[in-house]
Amino acid sequence: MRKNLIILTALILVLLTAACGSNSGKEESTTAGADAKDVKKIIVGTGSDFEQVAFLDKDGKLTGYDVEVLREVDKRLEQYEIEFQTLEFSNILLSLESGKIDLAAHLFEKNPEREKKFYFNQEPYAYWRNKIIVASDNNESIASLDDLKGKKVLIGPTSAQAQLLENYNKDHDNAIKIVYQQNDNDEIQQITSGRVDATLGADFLLPIKDPQGKLKTVGEPLNEGHIQYVLRKDDEESKKLGDAIDETIKELKSDGTLKKLSEEWLGQDFSK
């Protein structure tokens, strides 16, 4: 009888232990599932041929200033998981507007025209100055948009620089002949050969695109651009994401990470 009681007690202990172990496993699985569910995936639209900004390296890996800044942001925002989607530049904002992506990152300059349709985060992650660019042997007196009247100016469609030219032409009877081109692979050759007279571009890009010095900037800056991320307008989740990114960009500025990335990819500190 005593032996049977001992066996029965041991069996009960085994069953209780098994039950506790089973319950513990369920709790861990539920917690893990909740954590995974709380992480929101963010699809970022960017390009793949913007040298030093968003491009494919020799191994086919997407990298560059825009990409690496967002990878650093991703590390610090545990509630989000960033996934990149490469697009033609002219399709990035269209994809954002249609909901195919959640955020646009391609050194987008904040301007009134874009603000009518989109929401921007508040903290810029880069600053630049747009200037007129001509062939280095061009000795014409070109210092402003007025000096480009009657001339052909090569520019990317939907770009901030294109907006500058289009706004000028609205007030000056289309005085500048705008030549739109989707990519700028032969931009240097077109300008130096005389097929077009000039282009507009950010000051930091010229040494990257033209290391041989075939082009030069002229005149005073046309404007100073604040580079920010573009999100959907009137969207609560986009506002929440923008706020989180703002705090992280401030951290990256404060601890020197943004300065380091700018110098590494753009050649200078354009983060302030």
Side-chain angles (χ1 to χ4, degrees):
M1 182 71 178
R2 179 179 174 81
K3 182 177 179 181
N4 289 339
L5 183 59
I6 292 172
I7 293 173
L8 181 60
T9 301
L11 181 60
I12 291 171
L13 288 172
V14 168
L15 291 173
L16 285 173
T17 301
C20 289
S22 176
N23 288 338
S24 175
K26 286 182 180 178
E27 286 175 5
E28 289 174 6
S29 175
T30 302
T31 301
D35 288 344
K37 189 175 180 180
D38 288 342
V39 176
K40 182 175 178 59
K41 180 176 285 188
I42 301 300
I43 307 298
V44 174
T46 191
S48 61
D49 58 1
F50 193 172
E51 190 177 353
Q52 301 303 108
V53 174
F55 69 106
L56 301 177
D57 66 13
K58 62 181 180 180
D59 298 318
K61 177 188 175 184
L62 183 66
T63 190
Y65 181 67
D66 254 327
V67 175
E68 299 307 329
V69 169
L70 277 173
R71 283 187 175 138
E72 190 63 42
V73 169
D74 190 26
K75 290 178 188 176
R76 304 188 187 207
L77 292 181
E78 295 181 355
Q79 69 271 39
Y80 294 106
E81 177 187 346
I82 287 177
E83 180 178 303
F84 291 96
Q85 181 175 331
T86 57
L87 301 160
E88 290 287 342
F89 177 74
S90 59
N91 290 331
I92 296 177
L93 293 182
L94 291 175
S95 296
L96 178 63
E97 194 172 11
S98 65
K100 294 179 181 178
I101 62 174
D102 303 301
L103 182 146
H106 202 267
L107 288 189
F108 282 107
E109 182 179 329
K110 183 178 179 180
N111 61 37
E113 289 76 19
R114 286 174 176 165
E115 283 190 284
K116 291 177 183 177
K117 299 179 69 174
F118 302 102
Y119 172 71
F120 286 78
N121 75 301
Q122 302 302 302
E123 189 71 21
Y125 65 97
Y127 303 83
W128 66 21
R129 298 171 303 169
N130 285 305
K131 300 189 76 173
I132 299 170
I133 298 173
V134 299
S136 58
D137 60 358
N138 186 328
N139 296 317
E140 293 183 67
S141 180
I142 297 176
S144 69
L145 292 180
D146 287 336
D147 298 321
L148 293 177
K149 289 180 178 179
K151 297 185 182 298
K152 293 181 180 179
V153 180
L154 185 70
I155 211 72
T158 76
S159 66
Q161 292 81 13
Q163 194 71 62
L164 285 171
L165 292 174
E166 290 161 1
N167 288 344
Y168 180 88
N169 270 353
K170 285 179 184 177
D171 298 327
H172 296 85
D173 196 27
N174 293 317
I176 297 174
K177 299 175 183 178
I178 303 175
V179 179
Y180 294 101
Q181 181 170 290
Q182 183 58 55
N183 59 64
D184 59 1
N185 291 337
D186 64 345
E187 179 182 70
I188 297 174
Q189 202 275 332
Q190 289 210 55
I191 295 173
T192 55
S193 68
R195 288 208 296 270
V196 297
D197 300 288
T199 186
L200 306 185
D203 49 5
F204 75 82
L205 279 180
L206 195 55
I208 295 172
K209 295 164 60 174
D210 179 33
Q212 297 180 337
K214 294 182 179 181
L215 305 179
K216 65 182 179 181
T217 61
V218 293
E220 295 298 316
L222 302 174
N223 71 337
E224 181 182 276
H226 288 195
I227 309 306
Q228 291 155 252
Y229 298 114
V230 195
L231 302 103
R232 278 187 292 277
K233 197 169 187 177
D234 301 322
D235 182 278
E236 186 177 339
E237 286 300 318
S238 292
K239 176 65 167 59
K240 184 178 177 181
L241 173 61
D243 291 344
I245 288 176
D246 283 336
E247 292 306 310
T248 309
I249 293 298
K250 289 176 183 176
E251 290 178 10
L252 296 177
K253 288 181 177 180
S254 179
D255 65 20
T257 302
L258 200 60
K259 176 179 183 291
K260 180 181 177 182
L261 288 171
S262 180
E263 290 174 341
E264 177 183 353
W265 292 103
L266 306 179
Q268 295 181 47
D269 179 14
F270 290 97
S271 67
K272 58 185 179 181

